[in-house]
Amino acid sequence: MDESYNNRMSLVKGAKDIAKEAKRHAAKKVSKIVNRATEEYSSQRNYSQFQNEDKDNDDACYTQPDSNDGEHYASDATEGHDDEDEIYEGEYQGVPAYTDRKPRDGQVSLGQPVSDSLRDRKELELERQTDEEELAQQYELIMQECGHGRFQWQLFFVLGMALMSDGVEVFVVGFVLPSAETDMCVPNSGAGWLGSIVYLGMMVGAFFWGGLSDKVGRKQCLLVAMSVTGFFSFLSSFVQGYGMFLFCRMFSGFGIGGAVPIVFPYFAEFLAREKRGEHLSWLCMFWMIGGIYASAMAWLIIPHYGWSFSMGSAYQFHSWRVFVVVCALPCVCAVVALTFMPESPRFFLEMGKHDEAWMVLKQIHDTNMRARGEPEKVFTVNRIKLPKHLDELVEMQSDSANPVGKVLFRIRTELRGIWLTFMSCFNYPVKDNTVKLAFVWFTLSFGYYGLSVWFPDVIHHLQSDEYASRVKTHNNEHTEDFTFNFTLENQIHTNGVFVNNRFISMKLKSVTFIDSTFQNCYFDDVSTVGSLFKNCTFVEVFFYNTDIDDSKLVGSRVINSSFHHNKTGCQMTFDDDYSAYWVYFVNFLGTLAVLPGNIVSALLMDKIGRLSMLGGSMVLSGISCFFLWFGTSESMMIFMLCLYNGLSISAWNSLDVVTAELYPTDRRGTGFGFCNAMCKLAAVLGNLIFGSLVGITKTIPILLASAVLVGGGLVGLRLPDTRGNVLM
């Protein structure tokens, strides 16, 4: 018993000594590798230093020596050699307990390396961090050799279509909201749910797809997310019930929520450092193009109700549904084109898939070289450093489990992995960056989306006030034996008497009858929009094919009158409606005003820095809000909308670039998804808060927007500068 105990203690002591010496030896080796990698990077691109890293010889050469420089490389290989650090065979061997040299439970065989489970986790994390730094340096050199050319431009336009779909989805909500709610007879209690539920879907989708992209890949997640968006977008254009329509738009928002958190990390991992800031900024232009596309299509399609058909009263397909279908086309194009693009090689390397990453990098190199007219140029990289993977205990599902159980287990495992990765975003050293980025995303989105919903509504109120100022009032009129077959608009009739009159094939737009009497009148094919009959009396009146019902007869009396074949559904009349065209045109101008800011931010992103542009743009946007005090006319408000959009776009572009560069590869999608989820949450709150203040006061929206934008800009200036960083 004592001998066995002594043997075990000796073995444990020996294992600890081996681990301690190995740790010291690894630390010296890591320091030497990092120093040499830095020197090589500053002088010339050379990959052999990374290729020999995994060899057992600690002092392997980092460059291939020439035949006449043997002495120089030999001395370099032995530089800094310390005999005291040498671990000689048998120095800490201990005494074996059994002659067969097979370890028992809890014991380690002699001469065998210590397993990861017995090593200190901090040591493993240190080695992984060192591997990541080394891989980042090498990957930067590889991307420089691959060059920037045809391949990146192809991916640029494919991902641009996906980002364009996100911009379209945001604008579709605002454009179809009035038409959809009116067409589906949505009561006031249900109005506004469409805008909120789409943003809530985007918020959940951003977090989910961003986290999943760190587990299964950028391309696969983006492809599935865009497919979900396209399917539910098309489906929403055909469903009739408002509840089903909300369901489809919610899942459409859930899918498109993954566009921004995946597109920018995906594209960033194909760019060298000196190209990253500029070309990520150019990519942001597609969001603006999506807004312009949605505004133009709404302007051209929605007001034209001749582009509609119906199948009885049960199925209606109005022009706003055609608009929804047209707006789903960029998403479909993105899905088709994305199938021909490869997965991110940086993600492959993070997952330990060396061969797959090498094939993609070679494809990038060969594509760009052929486009340059240099097809004979050889891709010189043959081995890429892989980061060490930490062993994790994973619960394995039984082979006898049924297929449903396996699917549920896989879903649970992936969700747990997303959550653990998300929690790691709040660990050192990225914790502070995550908090600051989330705050900047929230404030910028709160101000932008809040003012975006406030501006059009303020303009609409100004138009309504002007419209009301031109109302025509008729008092004590008496009309008998007259036929009305034309449109009455923006009128008020008080104490009128209508006897034996005929109202045939006419429209009443914003017409109010107060304390009036209708006797022996005939209403045939009459449509009323915004019209009411208040405290009126109807005596022996015949209604045929009209939309006049109890909701239009406020406090009125109906005596010996009959209603036949009343129009079902909600009547929508955008025909020749100047205000409808004007709303779409205003949004078109506001989106177009982003173009100069996009160009400026792309050209100056790498010159003046991401943080300067981010903070400066947000502060200037906040200051520009104060000029809203002078917005007393439509033209002034439109000018302020264009100015604000032009100033704020640089902040959005800078924030996209900084977020993609601050997070390491294994958390880049998750961190970006969380920040974008905070953006959508701020959009919901901004819509609710700013929308409730429309027509009440100017002070609170102006001060609130200015405060959050300036505060967010000041916090953004405290973020680390990523202009000279390689992708970790």
Side-chain angles (χ1 to χ4, degrees), residues 206-341:
F207 182 81
F208 175 77
W209 296 114
L212 193 62
S213 68
D214 286 332
K215 298 297 179 184
V216 302
R218 321 296 195 213
K219 172 189 172 181
Q220 296 301 323
C221 282
L222 184 59
L223 194 60
V224 175
M226 299 301 294
S227 299
V228 169
T229 300
F231 174 77
F232 283 100
S233 293
F234 272 108
L235 185 62
S236 68
S237 66
F238 295 98
V239 298
Q240 293 295 298
Y242 189 62
M244 192 63 184
F245 183 76
L246 285 177
F247 176 82
C248 292
R249 297 313 301 183
M250 180 185 68
F251 272 91
S252 176
F254 173 76
I256 203 62
V260 173
I262 299 177
V263 162
F264 287 100
Y266 189 18
F267 193 48
E269 291 169 357
F270 285 90
L271 298 173
R273 177 173 52 187
E274 64 271 9
K275 297 287 187 180
R276 193 178 306 127
E278 177 184 353
H279 286 81
L280 285 177
S281 298
W282 288 122
L283 185 64
C284 294
M285 293 186 64
F286 281 93
W287 197 92
M288 175 204 69
I289 295 174
I292 294 176
Y293 175 81
S295 301
M297 293 299 103
W299 192 10
L300 293 173
I301 296 175
I302 293 180
H304 298 285
Y305 271 73
W307 299 8
S308 63
F309 67 89
S310 62
M311 298 175 62
S313 60
Y315 190 87
Q316 305 286 331
F317 195 91
H318 292 302
S319 58
W320 67 266
R321 297 180 182 273
V322 179
F323 168 71
V324 173
V325 172
V326 171
C327 286
L329 295 180
C331 181
V332 176
C333 295
V335 170
V336 174
L338 194 60
T339 57
F340 298 96
M341 292 291 106

Side-chain angles (χ1 to χ4, degrees), residues 30 58 89 178 201 209 248 388 558 607 656 660:
V30 165
D58 296 340
E89 184 178 359
W209 296 114
C248 292
K388 183 177 182 60
V558 179
K607 292 182 173 60
D656 289 330

Side-chain angles (χ1 to χ4, degrees), residues 537-553:
T537 302
F538 295 86
V539 180
E540 297 182 355
V541 177
F542 186 85
F543 295 91
Y544 182 85
N545 192 28
T546 70
D547 61 354
I548 300 175
D549 53 20
D550 292 340
S551 63
K552 306 293 179 65
L553 305 176

Side-chain angles (χ1 to χ4, degrees), residues 41 132-133 136-137 140 273 276 661 668 722-728:
Y41 178 75
E132 288 282 3
E133 294 173 355
Q137 294 287 351
E140 180 64 30
R273 177 173 52 187
R276 193 178 306 127
E661 293 178 335
R668 186 168 295 124
T722 61
R723 180 167 37 171
N725 290 3
V726 295
L727 283 181
M728 292 296 297

Side-chain angles (χ1 to χ4, degrees), residues 127 132 253 292 303 327 346 389 398 448 456 510 592 599 653 706 726:
E127 290 186 19
E132 288 282 3
I292 294 176
C327 286
R346 189 67 177 84
H389 284 266
S398 173
Y448 178 82
S510 299
L592 193 61
I599 297 175
N653 294 359
S706 299
V726 295

